[in-house]
Amino acid sequence: MPAKQEANGTAGAAGAAAAASTADTDAERERKRLERCASWRQFGACVSVQTLHFMTGVCMAYSSSLIPALEDPETSEIPLDSEHRMGAWLASTFVLSVPVGALVSMLLNDKLGRVALIKSACAPFCLGWVLIATAQSFAMLVVGRLLTGIAIGLAHSPSLLFCAEVANKNIRGGLSAMATGFASMAIVACYGMGAAMHWRTHAWANCAVFAVPLTLQTLFSMESPVWLKARARDEAAAASSLYYYNDPDVVLSGPSSASSPGKEEAVWRKFKPLFCRPSGYKPLVLNATVFALQQLVGVYITIYYAVTFLQETKSSLDPYLATICIGLVRLVGCTGTSLVMTRFGRRPLMLVSSVGQAVCMLVSGYATHLILQEEGSASSWWVVMGLLGYIALGCLGWQVVPWSMMAELFPHQVRGLAQPLNSATAHILMFAMLQAYPVISELVGGAAGIQFLFAAFSVLGGVFVFVFLPETRGRTLQEIEDYFQNNVVYVTERRRRRAARREAAVAAITSKQAVVPAV
C-alpha cells in the first residue's frame, strides 16, 4: 500500500509538473502573440502616417511634366520665359516654401500633437492644387506651388517624429524609410499621369491624393504616447501605450529630468539645449552636412529635371518613358531599402550607395561625353542604364537614409524643434541646388560634366560617412544621445570601443588565472 501511494504521489507530481509546463508554454505563446499584435499596430500606425508622402511625391514630380508642357511654344497656355528662368522657379518654388511650413510646424508640433498636425496639412495642400488647376497666370501657378510646399513642410517633420516615438528600435529604421518609398510610388504615378493627361487634369487628380493618408490615419493611428506624456495627459498616454505596446506604462522616450511634463517653457529655453549642449548641436551640424552632400550628389536633380536632363544627354529613349522607368527604379529601390534597413546598418548602406553612385555616374558621364562629341559613337543605353543604376544605388543610401536618421539623432527635449529645423535646412539646400543647377551645368560643360561632378561628390560623401556618421541601428534613442555627449568622429569612437572590449577580455582572463589554485 505505501508503495502504491508513493507511485500515485509521483504520478501526481509528474502530472502537476506537466500541467505547469503546459501553462508556462501557453503563457509564453500568448505573450508572443500579444507582442506580434502590438508590433502590427505600431506598423499600421506608422505606415498610415507615412502615406502622407504620397502628397510629397506628386508635388515633387509634377514639375517634370508641367515645365515641358508650358515651354512648348505651340500648345502652352501660360508661356514661360526661359531668359528669366521661369521654369526653374516653378520647379524650386515648392521646395522654397517647405521650410516655411517646417518653421510653422516647429511652433505647433508640441501644441497640436503629431497626428493632428499631419491631418491639418491637408487644407493648404488641396487649396494649392485647386489654384494650379485653375491657373490663368504664372503667379497663380507659383502661389499654388507655394501652398503645396507649406503643406508638406507642416506634415513632414511630425511624421518622422511619430515613427521615432512609436516604433521600437528593431523596426524604427525601416518604417522611417517607408516615407521615401511612398513618395517614390507617387512619383511613378505622377510621371504616368503627366505623360497621359493635360497638366490641368493632372493637377485635379493630385488634389485628391490627400484622402489616402487622412483616411488611413483616422482608422489606424493614435497620438504618440511620448507627446501625450510630455503634455501631462496621463490617461490618453496610457490608452495610447496600451494600444501600441499592450502596457499602459511603456513610453519609448520621454522628457528629460530638466523639464516638467505639461509645463510650457519659454522658446529661448527650448532652443538653449539644442544649440548649447553636445547632444543638440552635434547632430544638428552632422545632419546639415549630410543634407548638403545629398544635394551635391544630385539625387533630387533627376526628379525635378528628369525630362530636361535626359534631353540634354541626347538619349534615343523617349524622355517621358524614361522618367517612368526612373520612377519605377526609385520605387523598387526605396521599398527594398525600407526592408533591408532592419537587417543592415545605416553606415554600410550609405557607403555602398556612395561607391555605386560614383561608378554609375562615371559610366553614364563617359557615354554622354562620347555621344556629344560624335553622335552614334556610343549607345545611349549606356547613359540610361548608368543613370538607372545611379538612382537605384541612391535609393539604397543617400536618398533614404538621411531622412530616416533625422528623427533618431536628437533627445526628446529638443526633438520637436530640431526636426523642423533639419527639414527646413534640407529644403533650403534643395532649393539652392535646383536654382544653381542650370548655371552649374553651363560651367562644367553640360550633361557629361554634371555627371562627372556628381560622381566626384559621391566619393566625397562616402569619405564623410566613413569618418563621421554614427551607426544607429539597434541602438535605443538614449544610447544615441549618449554617443553625441562624448564623440564627434565615429571612427575614433569605434576604435575606443574595440580597445575597451580587448581590455575587458584581458582583465577577465587575468582574473580567471588569479583564482586558479597552485598545484
Side-chain angles (χ1 to χ4, degrees):
M1 181 68 69
K4 185 175 181 180
Q5 288 177 347
E6 183 178 351
N8 290 338
T10 303
S21 176
T22 302
D24 290 342
T25 303
D26 291 342
E28 180 66 16
R29 189 180 295 115
E30 178 65 13
R31 185 186 65 81
K32 289 183 178 180
R33 187 188 70 81
L34 291 174
E35 285 182 356
R36 286 195 299 272
C37 291
S39 295
W40 277 111
R41 286 193 290 271
Q42 294 170 37
F43 179 84
C46 292
V47 167
S48 69
V49 166
Q50 294 291 44
T51 54
L52 78 91
H53 292 282
F54 284 132
M55 296 157 57
T56 305
V58 296
C59 292
M60 292 170 66
Y62 183 66
S63 62
S64 67
S65 57
L66 174 65
I67 293 171
L70 297 183
E71 286 180 342
D72 189 336
E74 297 180 0
T75 60
S76 177
E77 298 176 37
I78 306 174
L80 300 181
D81 187 350
S82 58
E83 291 185 3
H84 293 86
R85 297 172 60 197
M86 294 171 73
W89 276 104
L90 267 185
S92 56
T93 299
F94 159 75
V95 180
L96 181 64
S97 60
V98 171
V100 178
L103 295 176
V104 176
S105 171
M106 183 175 64
L107 300 175
L108 299 178
N109 227 335
D110 291 332
K111 293 183 179 295
L112 297 182
R114 318 312 188 204
V115 175
L117 189 55
I118 293 169
K119 290 179 178 179
S120 69
C122 293
F125 179 83
C126 289
L127 181 58
W129 284 113
V130 169
L131 283 176
I132 293 171
T134 60
Q136 300 300 316
S137 65
F138 179 74
M140 287 183 70
L141 290 173
V142 170
V143 173
R145 294 283 286 169
L146 284 170
L147 285 172
T148 57
I150 290 172
I152 299 306
L154 277 173
H156 183 264
S157 296
S159 71
L160 295 176
L161 277 173
F162 182 87
C163 288
E165 293 176 348
V166 168
N168 67 53
K169 65 181 182 180
N170 296 322
I171 61 174
R172 186 179 62 223
L175 288 171
S176 297
M178 280 188 172
T180 315
F182 286 132
S184 300
M185 195 180 299
I187 287 170
V188 174
C190 199
Y191 285 158
M193 289 189 292
M197 295 180 180
H198 187 273
W199 62 270
R200 291 188 187 275
T201 308
H202 189 183
W204 284 116
N206 289 345
C207 185
V209 170
F210 82 96
V212 176
L214 191 62
T215 302
L216 292 177
Q217 287 164 39
T218 302
L219 293 174
F220 297 109
S221 63
M222 293 182 69
E223 187 54 80
S224 161
V226 175
W227 179 82
L228 292 169
K229 195 77 173 177
R231 304 296 294 176
R233 293 170 57 178
D234 294 334
E235 288 188 13
S240 182
S241 293
L242 185 63
Y243 175 74
Y244 289 126
Y245 316 115
N246 297 318
D247 187 339
D249 298 321
V250 172
V251 177
L252 295 189
S253 66
S256 67
S257 58
S259 62
S260 301
K263 183 179 179 181
E264 280 292 331
E265 290 184 289
V267 173
W268 70 271
R269 288 185 182 274
K270 293 182 179 181
F271 275 95
K272 187 177 179 180
L274 179 60
F275 291 105
C276 299
R277 294 182 186 174
S279 60
Y281 66 76
K282 285 181 182 178
L284 193 68
V285 173
L286 177 69
N287 266 325
T289 308
V290 168
F291 280 121
L293 287 168
Q294 182 190 56
Q295 298 308 317
L296 293 171
V297 165
V299 292
Y300 284 101
I301 292 297
T302 54
I303 297 176
Y304 288 90
Y305 287 103
V307 175
T308 306
F309 187 80
L310 285 165
Q311 288 173 340
E312 289 176 355
T313 62
K314 294 189 176 180
S315 170
S316 60
L317 189 64
D318 178 76
Y320 288 95
L321 178 60
T323 55
I324 295 174
C325 293
I326 289 171
L328 288 171
V329 169
R330 183 175 279 111
L331 170 61
V332 173
C334 292
T335 304
T337 301
S338 67
L339 298 176
V340 301
M341 278 186 74
T342 60
R343 296 179 177 272
F344 299 96
R346 283 43 159 174
R347 282 173 55 85
L349 294 178
M350 290 287 281
L351 290 171
V352 171
S353 175
S354 299
V355 174
Q357 282 187 292
V359 172
C360 290
M361 269 289 123
L362 285 173
V363 171
S364 182
Y366 183 65
T368 302
H369 172 72
L370 293 177
I371 292 170
L372 294 177
Q373 290 290 320
E374 182 181 350
E375 194 165 348
S377 57
S379 172
S380 60
W381 279 103
W382 282 106
V383 177
V384 175
M385 296 307 294
L387 187 59
L388 292 177
Y390 159 83
I391 290 166
L393 288 159
C395 294
L396 187 66
W398 279 102
Q399 186 172 348
V400 175
V401 175
W403 296 107
S404 63
M405 286 186 68
M406 189 167 62
E408 297 179 314
L409 300 181
F410 294 94
H412 170 80
Q413 187 180 3
V414 299
R415 198 179 298 143
L417 294 176
Q419 190 78 352
L421 281 177
N422 272 312
S423 180
T425 301
H427 286 89
I428 289 171
L429 291 168
M430 195 185 301
F431 170 79
M433 187 63 185
L434 291 172
Q435 284 291 310
Y437 169 71
V439 177
I440 295 174
S441 182
E442 291 179 8
L443 289 175
V444 298
I450 205 77
Q451 287 170 298
F452 291 140
L453 185 66
F454 288 162
F457 277 113
S458 295
V459 174
L460 178 62
V463 173
F464 179 86
V465 167
F466 180 78
V467 176
F468 292 105
L469 191 72
E471 182 56 72
T472 61
R473 176 180 174 266
R475 288 189 174 188
T476 65
L477 298 177
Q478 185 60 49
E479 289 171 343
I480 296 169
E481 179 181 349
D482 293 341
Y483 165 83
F484 283 109
Q485 286 286 355
N486 305 304
N487 299 283
V488 175
V489 179
Y490 181 75
V491 174
T492 57
E493 190 264 351
R494 186 169 59 177
R495 288 174 182 167
R496 281 198 298 269
R497 283 191 296 156
R498 287 176 178 172
R501 284 198 296 268
R502 283 196 296 268
E503 290 175 3
V506 170
I509 294 171
T510 305
S511 63
K512 285 182 179 179
Q513 291 175 344
V515 298
V516 174
V519 177

